[in-house]
Amino acid sequence: MAEFARRPETTRYGTRPTMKDVAARAGVGLKTVSRVVNGEPGVTPDTERRVQEAIEALGFRRNDSARVLRKGRTASIGLVLEDLADPFYGPLSRAVEEVARAHGALLINGSSAEDPEREQELVLALCARRVDGLIVIPAGHDHRYLEPEIKAGIATVFVDRPAGRIDADVVLSDSFGGAREGVAHLIAHGHRRIGFIGDQPRIHTATERLRGYRAAMDDAGLPVHERWVALGSTDPERVTEAVEAMLSGPDPVTAVFAGNNRVTVTAVRVLAGRDAPVALVGFDDIELADLLGITVIAQDAAALGRTAAERLFRRLDGVAEEPARVELTTRLLARGSGELPPGR
């Protein structure tokens, strides 16, 4: 009968080899192992070789958690997003991660699902795990719950939307200016009846883009009928109903400005099935927009994440300055859908 190799009796699931185990196997002192593990001088080549062989044989891994806690830093930051599935947050999160990696820090992220209570729970859970700093895309309007954490030394930067009722660093895109430019572009191509479909009115970016829409219409001396404005969830059913309502009645719109990428995707589907062309400009770029000829106001999500992360690490490095508001510009990418003339 074949014999199965026996696991050493001293090894148990859930236990890890320690530096004491390494020291015993290599026949050296604990301080010597510590020096080898941390790359410190004062160890002969032969002794270092024995310690490294023991580390490899035992599968020892340095306990960075204990190490960084002794230094008062956990070498980790938290990123709270609105929705991990939203394509907009992919490059933003990746940019934050790259900056964190360059500073030797681990990124932990999670989604608030646009729920203020869930945002607070997630943020405080990250604080309880002693992250060094936070980057937050806020869902709520009152962030006073963070004041004790910030006073305790947790650096915090908000992205895409400002914090509510506290002073904190924030990095934004120019939602107002971008929307104003996009609607002005439609007006320049002959449109006078332009619809606006945006996200929920409690969201900062939605209200700023609506404000930009109204400013562009006012600049051109054009009226805004309330039936041309629809704010609400980005659920495809709701957006579809809003687009179809604007395209019906005695004075249908001839162009639509979509307030974010999810609204744009649904609007493209609805407008693609119509005989008469309807112009479209969307805020945020979307996948395949260049191939589909969709004109957009593009914001640089990666730049938002990178700028926020760099500002966070400036705070962690001890730079003391007043909270700042950093606003990044947007770009109009004309691809065809926003240049269509009025069909009627």
Side-chain angles (χ1 to χ4, degrees):
M1 180 181 293
E3 292 187 4
F4 293 98
R6 293 186 176 180
R7 183 180 298 274
E9 293 182 2
T10 56
T11 303
R12 301 185 305 277
Y13 287 111
T15 63
R16 295 181 178 181
T18 66
M19 283 200 289
K20 288 183 179 180
D21 298 325
V22 174
R25 186 180 183 98
V28 299
L30 188 60
K31 182 61 177 177
T32 300
V33 176
S34 177
R35 284 174 177 161
V36 173
V37 168
N38 293 301
E40 298 173 359
V43 182
T44 66
D46 180 64
T47 300
E48 182 177 1
R49 176 185 56 77
R50 297 205 321 271
V51 171
Q52 292 290 3
E53 288 176 352
I55 287 173
E56 185 175 348
L58 294 171
F60 170 79
R61 295 291 181 271
R62 184 176 68 183
N63 186 349
D64 280 336
S65 296
R67 179 170 175 264
V68 295
L69 283 172
R70 284 195 298 271
K71 292 186 175 183
R73 292 273 292 271
T74 61
S76 62
I77 63 171
L79 172 61
V80 179
L81 302 166
E82 174 203 344
D83 183 358
L84 291 170
D86 189 328
F88 173 75
Y89 296 118
L92 188 154
S93 177
R94 187 162 54 249
V96 172
E97 185 173 22
E98 288 301 314
V99 175
R101 182 183 179 189
H103 285 80
L106 176 70
L107 176 66
I108 306 169
N109 59 28
S111 171
S112 70
E114 279 293 1
D115 182 344
E117 290 186 5
R118 182 167 171 176
E119 173 212 299
Q120 182 172 340
E121 289 175 0
L122 180 56
V123 166
L124 293 180
L126 289 168
C127 292
R129 283 158 178 77
R130 299 190 64 178
V131 295
D132 298 314
L134 292 166
I135 295 176
V136 181
I137 296 172
H141 292 87
D142 189 345
H143 293 91
R144 287 176 295 176
Y145 70 86
L146 258 173
E147 286 181 333
E149 310 299 336
I150 293 173
K151 289 178 181 178
I154 295 182
T156 306
V157 177
F158 289 80
V159 183
D160 196 41
R161 311 161 190 173
R165 307 186 73 175
I166 64 170
D167 290 327
D169 290 318
V170 60
V171 181
L172 309 165
S173 290
D174 183 7
S175 286
F176 169 77
R180 190 176 193 173
E181 182 182 14
V183 175
H185 185 73
L186 290 168
I187 294 170
H189 284 81
H191 296 277
R192 299 295 178 266
R193 301 193 303 273
I194 302 170
F196 176 91
I197 304 176
D199 211 328
Q200 300 182 63
R202 63 180 175 81
I203 298 175
H204 172 80
T205 50
T207 58
E208 282 296 284
R209 292 166 195 175
L210 175 60
R211 194 167 68 87
Y213 160 80
R214 291 187 182 278
M217 297 291 278
D218 187 62
D219 291 341
L222 298 174
V224 174
H225 296 292
E226 289 311 307
R227 63 180 179 275
W228 296 350
V229 175
L231 296 178
S233 77
T234 56
D235 178 76
E237 184 177 350
R238 197 282 299 187
V239 175
T240 297
E241 291 176 356
V243 175
E244 290 177 344
M246 291 179 185
L247 296 174
S248 63
D251 295 312
V253 300
T254 62
V256 172
F257 185 86
N260 65 27
N261 56 352
R262 287 165 290 185
V263 173
T264 301
V265 169
T266 300
V268 168
R269 292 194 174 109
V270 175
L271 298 180
R274 297 187 64 85
D275 295 330
V278 176
L280 172 68
V281 174
F283 203 109
D284 292 338
D285 212 351
I286 60 173
E287 189 174 5
L288 301 181
D290 53 340
L291 297 179
L292 296 172
I294 309 301
T295 297
V296 300
I297 299 296
Q299 52 180 333
D300 192 337
L304 282 170
R306 184 169 55 255
T307 304
E310 289 171 349
R311 187 154 197 88
L312 182 73
F313 280 98
R314 277 171 54 83
R315 292 289 188 190
L316 291 174
D317 289 340
V319 176
E321 54 192 11
E322 290 297 315
R325 178 187 178 104
V326 180
E327 196 164 84
L328 306 183
T329 59
T330 57
R331 293 184 300 144
L332 171 68
L333 302 179
R335 294 170 173 152
S337 69
E339 294 70 59
L340 295 172
R344 47 178 167 164

